[in-house]
C-alpha cells in the first residue's frame, strides 16, 4: 500500500493551522493516505471539546483525512505521557502507518529526540536531579523541566524548547515511539501564526483557544479567515443549534455532587491524586459553590490547575487508579468515527492484515461480542463520557449517542 501518514490531534476545533500541518506532513512524507487519531468529547488539558467527536471527525474528513479514529477517553484526558503512549499504541497496532507527524515550535527534531532519549533512558544523574527538584515542593512538570535543563547544561537552548506545550507533547510522542520500538518515522511540522495560548486573531492562523473564545461570544466574523470555510460553517451551525459545550464549568454542579458523595479514600484512588491531596479536594468540595472557588482553594505550586482539572474529570467520569494502570498495559481497540471512500480501502487493509485487531465500527456489535473485560471497561467509559458531555448542551441533551450515531462517511 502507498505511504500512510498519521496525525494525532484534538481539533478543538479544526483550523487553518491544522490544515497547514496536514499539507506539510503529506508533502514531507510523500504520503497518499492520512489517518487522524483525535480526542473525543473531553481533552488532554482537563477540559471539554467545544463540539462533539463526530463533528470533529466530519471537519477532519472534509479537509483531507481519509480515516478518523477516536483516542479512548482514558488516554485523551491523561497526562502528556500517557496521552502520547496510548496514542502511539493505537497507531502501532494498525500495522499500516509509515509516518507520524506532530506540531512543534522548532525546525530541529533532533533536539526533541535528545530530550526524549533522556526521559526514556532515565540516566542516574537525571533521576537524582529530578528527585532534588521534586523535594522543593514544585509540580512534577516544572521539576522535570528544571532537571532536564541542569542535566543538559545548556539553559538558553533547552529552555526555549521546553517552554512550549507543543514541544513537550512532541517529546512524549518521540519517547513513546522509542519505548514501543515503533517502526513509524516521526516528522515535526513547525507551528505557524499565533502561539498556543494566544487569544489574538490577526490573520489566517490563530490558536484554537482564540477561535473558541470568539465563537462562544458569537463573534463569528472574527474567526472567518482562521478556519477552512467548511469548518467555519459546521462550527457556526453547532453553536446556533446549542450543540456545543463552553468549558468544564458547565458540569460544576455535577462535579461537586460527585466529590461530595465520594469518601476521602475514594478520592485518593483517583488518578494523579497523591500526598494528601485527597483531603484538600474533599474540604474544597464540601465548602465551595463553584469551580473557580474550588480551583483557588486547591491549586498550588505543586499541583497545577491543569492537573486538578484532569482529576475533576476522572471523578466525573468514574476513572480510578486501577483503570489508569490497565490503560497503560492493555493494547487498545480501534474506534472508527468516520472515513472517506479512500478510507474504506485503508480500513479494509487494516482488517485484512490484522484479523485479531479489535476494530469498532458498531458499538452495539462490539459490546455484544467482545469478551475482553479491560477493553469493555474502557469503551464503557467512552460511552459514559458522551452521555455526560451532552448534558452541557443548550438543547437536545440526548444520551446513548455512541449507539445511535452512525459512522461519518464522505466521498
Amino acid at each position: 500500500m502507498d505511504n500512510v501518514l498519521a496525525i494525532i490531534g484534538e481539533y478543538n476545533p479544526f483550523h487553518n493551522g491544522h490544515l497547514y500541518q496536514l499539507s506539510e506532513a503529506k508533502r514531507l512524507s510523500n504520503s497518499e493516505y492520512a489517518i487522524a487519531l483525535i480526542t473525543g468529547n473531553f481533552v488532554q488539558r482537563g477540559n471539554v471539546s467545544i463540539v462533539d467527536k463526530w463533528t470533529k471527525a466530519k471537519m477532519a474528513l472534509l479537509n483531507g483525512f481519509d480515516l478518523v479514529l477516536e483516542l479512548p477517553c482514558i488516554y485523551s484526558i491523561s497526562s502528556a505521557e500517557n496521552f502520547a503512549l496510548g496514542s502511539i499504541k493505537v497507531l502501532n497496532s494498525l500495522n499500516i502507518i509509515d509516518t507520524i507527524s506532530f506540531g512543534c515550535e522548532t525546525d530541529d527534531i533532533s533536539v526533541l529526540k535528545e530530550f526524549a532519549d533522556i526521559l526514556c533512558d532515565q540516566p542516574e544523574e537525571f533521576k537524582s536531579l529530578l528527585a532534588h527538584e521534586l523535594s522543593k515542593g514544585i509540580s512534577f512538570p516544572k521539576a522535570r523541566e528544571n532537571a532536564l535543563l541542569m542535566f543538559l547544561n545548556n539553559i538558553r537552548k533547552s529552555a526555549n524548547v521546553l517552554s512550549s506545550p507543543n514541544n513537550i507533547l512532541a517529546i512524549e510522542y518521540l519517547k513513546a515511539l522509542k519505548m514501543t520500538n515503533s517502526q513509524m518515522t516521526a516528522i515535526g511540522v513547525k507551528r505557524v501564526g499565533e502561539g498556543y495560548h494566544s487569544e489574538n486573531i490577526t490573520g489566517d492562523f490563530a490558536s484554537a483557544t482564540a477561535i473558541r473564545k470568539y465563537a462562544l461570544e458569537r463573534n463569528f466574523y472574527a474567526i472567518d479567515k482562521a478556519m477552512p470555510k467548511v469548518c467555519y460553517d459546521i462550527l457556526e451551525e453547532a453553536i446556533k443549534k446549542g450543540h456545543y459545550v463552553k468549558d468544564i464549568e458547565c458540569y460544576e454542579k455535577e462535579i461537586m455532587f460527585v466529590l461530595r458523595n465520594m469518601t476521602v479514600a475514594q478520592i485518593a484512588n483517583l488518578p494523579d491524586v497523591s500526598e494528601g491531596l485527597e483531603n484538600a479536594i474533599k474540604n474544597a468540595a464540601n465548602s465551595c459553590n463553584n469551580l473557580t472557588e474550588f480551583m483557588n482553594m486547591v491549586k498550588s505550586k505543586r499541583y497545577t490547575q491543569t492537573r486538578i482539572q484532569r482529576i475533576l474529570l476522572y471523578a466525573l467520569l468514574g476513572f480510578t487508579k486501577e483503570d489508569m494502570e490497565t490503560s497503560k498495559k492493555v493494547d487498545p481497540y480501534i474506534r472508527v468515527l468516520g472515513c472517506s471512500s479512500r478510507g474504506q480501502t485503508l480500513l479494509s487493509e487494516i482488517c485484512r492484515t490484522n484479523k485479531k485487531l479489535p476494530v469498532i465500527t458498531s458499538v452495539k456489535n462490539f459490546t455484544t461480542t467482545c469478551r475482553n473485560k479491560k477493553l469493555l471497561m474502557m469503551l464503557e467509559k467512552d460511552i459514559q463520557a458522551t452521555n455526560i458531555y451532552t448534558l452541557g448542551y443548550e438543547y437536545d441533551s440526548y444520551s446513548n449517542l455512541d449507539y445511535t450515531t452512525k459512522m461519518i462517511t464522505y466521498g
Side-chain angles (χ1 to χ4, degrees):
M1 175 165 274
D2 293 318
N3 285 353
V4 180
L5 166 73
I7 295 179
I8 304 158
E10 292 191 332
Y11 297 156
N12 184 29
F14 194 99
H15 56 66
N16 288 345
H18 298 133
L19 185 58
Y20 171 80
Q21 182 197 1
L22 174 59
S23 176
E24 278 295 284
K26 278 186 172 181
R27 181 183 66 82
L28 292 169
S29 63
N30 194 31
S31 295
E32 293 294 324
Y33 294 91
I35 296 174
L37 177 62
I38 69 172
T39 56
N41 299 321
F42 294 89
V43 296
Q44 196 267 327
R45 294 187 66 80
N47 219 311
V48 301
S49 176
I50 190 171
V51 290
D52 69 68
K53 56 193 180 186
W54 294 282
T55 301
K56 294 195 292 185
K58 185 177 181 180
M59 290 180 178
L61 289 171
L62 291 173
N63 281 279
F65 281 101
D66 302 298
L67 182 64
V68 182
L69 310 177
E70 179 186 2
L71 182 66
C73 184
I74 197 166
Y75 300 124
S76 291
I77 62 173
S78 287
S79 65
E81 182 178 36
N82 201 43
F83 178 97
L85 181 59
S87 300
I88 296 302
K89 286 196 297 184
V90 170
L91 296 178
N92 281 340
S93 69
L94 299 179
N95 206 25
I96 198 174
I97 297 170
D98 302 285
T99 307
I100 176 175
S101 177
F102 43 76
C104 51
E105 306 290 349
T106 176
D107 289 324
D108 189 0
I109 196 173
S110 65
V111 176
L112 303 178
K113 286 181 177 178
E114 184 179 11
F115 286 108
D117 287 342
I118 295 168
L119 294 176
C120 191
D121 299 337
Q122 293 281 304
E124 287 301 321
E125 182 186 350
F126 170 74
K127 288 197 290 186
S128 177
L129 290 168
L130 178 59
H132 175 72
E133 289 301 304
L134 286 170
S135 69
K136 297 178 179 179
I138 59 179
S139 69
F140 180 81
K142 187 61 180 177
R144 192 173 75 165
E145 177 184 338
N146 291 348
L148 281 168
L149 294 177
M150 289 184 285
F151 182 82
L152 289 166
N153 197 27
N154 190 338
I155 293 178
R156 178 177 295 180
K157 173 184 174 183
S158 304
N160 290 335
V161 173
L162 291 170
S163 62
S164 160
N166 284 321
N167 284 349
I168 292 169
L169 198 50
I171 290 167
E172 291 296 345
Y173 290 140
L174 292 167
K175 175 182 157 190
L177 288 169
K178 183 173 182 177
M179 288 177 61
T180 60
N181 296 311
S182 178
Q183 299 303 303
M184 295 185 293
T185 300
I187 291 179
V189 175
K190 188 174 181 180
R191 184 186 180 95
V192 294
E194 296 288 342
Y196 185 88
H197 295 297
S198 172
E199 294 187 358
N200 298 319
I201 297 181
T202 56
D204 292 341
F205 294 99
S207 71
T209 301
I211 291 172
R212 291 193 301 272
K213 175 180 179 291
Y214 283 101
L216 291 169
E217 292 172 354
R218 309 294 176 107
N219 187 355
F220 297 111
Y221 177 78
I223 63 176
D224 184 23
K225 293 182 179 180
M227 299 180 71
K229 179 64 165 59
V230 65
C231 295
Y232 171 89
D233 291 340
I234 291 171
L235 178 62
E236 182 181 25
E237 180 185 11
I239 290 178
K240 287 182 175 179
K241 288 172 63 178
H243 293 184
Y244 71 97
V245 181
K246 181 180 178 182
D247 56 33
I248 192 175
E249 290 188 2
C250 291
Y251 309 100
E252 63 181 6
K253 296 304 182 187
E254 290 87 348
I255 289 170
M256 292 300 182
F257 171 78
V258 169
L259 290 175
R260 289 185 177 189
N261 261 9
M262 296 177 76
T263 64
V264 172
Q266 288 172 326
I267 295 173
N269 197 35
L270 294 172
D272 285 355
V273 173
S274 60
E275 301 169 321
L277 179 59
E278 62 272 18
N279 295 309
I281 290 174
K282 186 64 174 178
N283 290 338
N286 285 341
S287 59
C288 294
N289 194 45
N290 58 63
L291 287 188
T292 299
E293 291 178 13
F294 182 95
M295 289 295 177
N296 290 335
M297 189 170 179
V298 176
K299 69 180 180 180
S300 65
K301 185 169 63 172
R302 181 182 290 274
Y303 303 112
T304 64
Q305 180 165 330
T306 297
R307 180 172 174 177
I308 298 300
Q309 286 187 184
R310 283 202 298 266
I311 291 170
L312 296 182
L313 288 185
Y314 296 143
L316 181 65
L317 302 176
F319 285 118
T320 65
K321 287 179 176 173
E322 290 77 16
D323 295 334
M324 190 62 68
E325 287 306 307
T326 295
S327 78
K328 295 176 181 179
K329 298 172 184 176
V330 73
D331 290 327
Y333 46 78
I334 308 303
R335 174 75 187 276
V336 182
L337 292 178
C339 66
S340 67
S341 55
R342 285 161 50 83
Q344 288 281 5
T345 303
L346 272 178
L347 193 55
S348 297
E349 182 67 10
I350 290 168
C351 293
R352 184 186 69 79
T353 58
N354 305 274
K355 296 189 183 300
K356 294 185 178 180
L357 187 66
V359 177
I360 305 175
T361 55
S362 166
V363 167
K364 182 179 180 180
N365 289 346
F366 187 79
T367 53
T368 301
T369 59
C370 179
R371 296 294 178 264
N372 187 316
K373 292 183 179 180
K374 294 177 180 178
L375 294 185
L376 286 173
M377 176 277 292
M378 290 174 62
L379 182 60
E380 285 167 4
K381 299 297 186 184
D382 290 352
I383 295 167
Q384 182 175 340
T386 304
N387 288 342
I388 291 172
Y389 177 79
T390 58
L391 290 175
Y393 282 4
E394 287 185 359
Y395 311 107
D396 305 327
S397 299
Y398 301 123
S399 65
N400 295 322
L401 294 185
D402 284 276
Y403 290 98
T404 59
T405 304
K406 294 182 179 179
M407 185 174 72
I408 305 297
T409 57
Y410 170 70

